[in-house]
Amino acid sequence: MRRRTVLRAFGWGIGGAVVLGGGGFGAYYLSARRNTVGKVSFDTPLSIPALARSRRGASGARVFTLGIQPGETRFKDGKPTRTWGVNGAYLGPTIRARRGERVEFVVRNGLGEATSLHWHGMHLPAVMDGGPHQTVAPGGTWEPRWTIDQPAATLWYHPHLHGSTADHTYRGLAGLFIVDDERAEALDLPSEYGVDDLPMIVQDRSFDADQQFAQREPLAGSLGVIGDEILVNGTIGPYVDVTTRLVRLRLLNGSNARLYHFGFSDDRRFSLVATDGGLLAAPWETDRLYLSPGERAEIVVAFAPGERVELRSYPAEHGGVLGRLDGFDDRLDICQFRAAGSLSGDATVPAVLGVAPDLAGEAVAQERSFLLASNQINGRPMAMDRIDFGVREGTVEVWEVTNDNGYLHNFHVHDVQFQVLTVDGGTPEPPLRGWKDTVLLVQGRRYRLAMRFRGRTDPNMPYMYHCHLLAHEDNGMMGQFVVLGEGEQVGVPPGRHRHP
Ligand code: C2O
Ligand code: CU
Ligand code: CU
């Protein structure tokens, strides 16, 4: 893909001959590893996104008003940075609603260009999904509504305008959407928002000399923008005052392209309690956790009185030959936890959590395979006016997905949470045994994903499936499917869409 630029910059451009591995590229390659361990000052309290306010609508629904707007954010001393946000200058409020509740949104676009807001991980009618067909014009309003019908989970929202998702998200449009239910509330897990239940939207950003966001792709990189500073909820170098023995972190990889390999500075173990779609059947103890762009994880960490420990991202596998250029060799300090001299509560994580995915024994109505390579899926780039296929409402399908080139990709499906049945024919690793809507694709491995389609059908309004590395998605690594009722056939997608 973009590694062709190596030849341009260091071959034809500089030397007039290919000098790959020679002075210029060699020096660049050696310097391309970032290490911020010990260099982050951790002098700013972690910002906690406000909980979105709602009012009770006439129908009894909870109504949220979300204003997408430009603004300025002071990430560091000196000049403020021009950013975009929802009901604020950067990122958006955390939306919270219960299973069974009816929600309505008034989404106002205060930008000078079209955008959209997609509810990532949500089961909902296609027309409410906020994908590339639900564009909100500049100055316009969009009013999606649906009934929350899925288990407790940490979901999120972000723009999805085809060709501009990377740009709009990088500028700051993103927020969490937490779904609650009785089962999760009955568990003895840390649950006081902003105190021992912390939202953590992890993003990398680069700043230019003018302290503005620089959307810089690493020279010879293959994933899109990779930043050298880490923000959590928009805070650079954040610390958290810990007051309880156990703390839950709701981690979202909100980066465009960077793969995180989370762990703590003292390699302490922590418990993974939930993945994209909600609670695992039982906690899984580990000292490292991968999250690719768009994925979420809820982890529970135990602290001892008086200690300080940092959340980091460690070097990652799966980068391929030149992975270093895309950040795979980086060591990054992310957030410091400062435990008080005495901590409340106990340190026991419940042994039983949610209900394990149960699609393995189901009759499979249809199998499909998806090959991701060269900004295409199955050899075709995304086309707004082409619906790739239709699935039958009520049925279970198995999708076999393979990353067929040397670069990092992942795979996200709208509307459903899926079960990873097997990876290369074997049982998936514990972090892939819960409900997922986005899965990291290690090159060459075959992932078999089972999913059940249910709910409202619409032969003309598609849902998306795509790589969640936003530059890949924008460049065409995406496709569209519709959910069909009895006797329905694949129709035609909405004809006229505004393209920026
Ligand atoms: Cu998070 Cu299609 O998106
Ligand atoms: Cu999505
Ligand atoms: Cu990709």
Side-chain angles (χ1 to χ4, degrees), residues 77-91:
D77 292 341
K79 268 204 156 177
T81 304
R82 287 183 299 278
T83 52
W84 289 358
V86 179
N87 295 353
Y90 189 71
L91 297 178

Side-chain angles (χ1 to χ4, degrees), residues 118-122 129 156 158 160 296 412-415 437-438 464 466 468:
H118 163 61
W119 321 101
H120 179 128
M122 192 72 73
D129 192 38
W156 68 300
H158 63 80
H160 215 305
R296 290 86 62 214
H412 168 51
V413 186
H414 286 210
D415 185 46
D437 57 49
T438 307
M464 307 294 133
H466 57 90
H468 215 287

Side-chain angles (χ1 to χ4, degrees), residues 241-255:
D241 283 320
V242 171
T243 57
T244 54
R245 289 295 308 276
L246 290 185
V247 173
R248 162 159 47 175
L249 307 180
R250 295 180 190 255
L251 295 165
L252 159 66
N253 180 343
S255 288

Side-chain angles (χ1 to χ4, degrees), residues 69-147:
Q69 57 191 72
E72 288 194 329
T73 306
R74 205 168 278 283
F75 292 106
K76 26 170 121 178
D77 292 341
K79 268 204 156 177
T81 304
R82 287 183 299 278
T83 52
W84 289 358
V86 179
N87 295 353
Y90 189 71
L91 297 178
T94 297
I95 298 160
R96 223 167 162 153
R98 293 178 60 82
R99 183 174 199 172
E101 253 186 324
R102 190 160 170 75
V103 292
E104 296 181 11
F105 292 87
V106 181
V107 178
R108 292 209 177 90
N109 180 4
L111 304 173
E113 58 189 275
T115 190
S116 85
L117 270 196
H118 163 61
W119 321 101
H120 179 128
M122 192 72 73
H123 169 58
L124 77 188
V127 71
M128 308 299 175
D129 192 38
H133 296 284
Q134 286 86 44
T135 299
V136 195
T141 297
W142 177 55
E143 300 189 349
R145 54 195 61 195
W146 70 92
T147 300

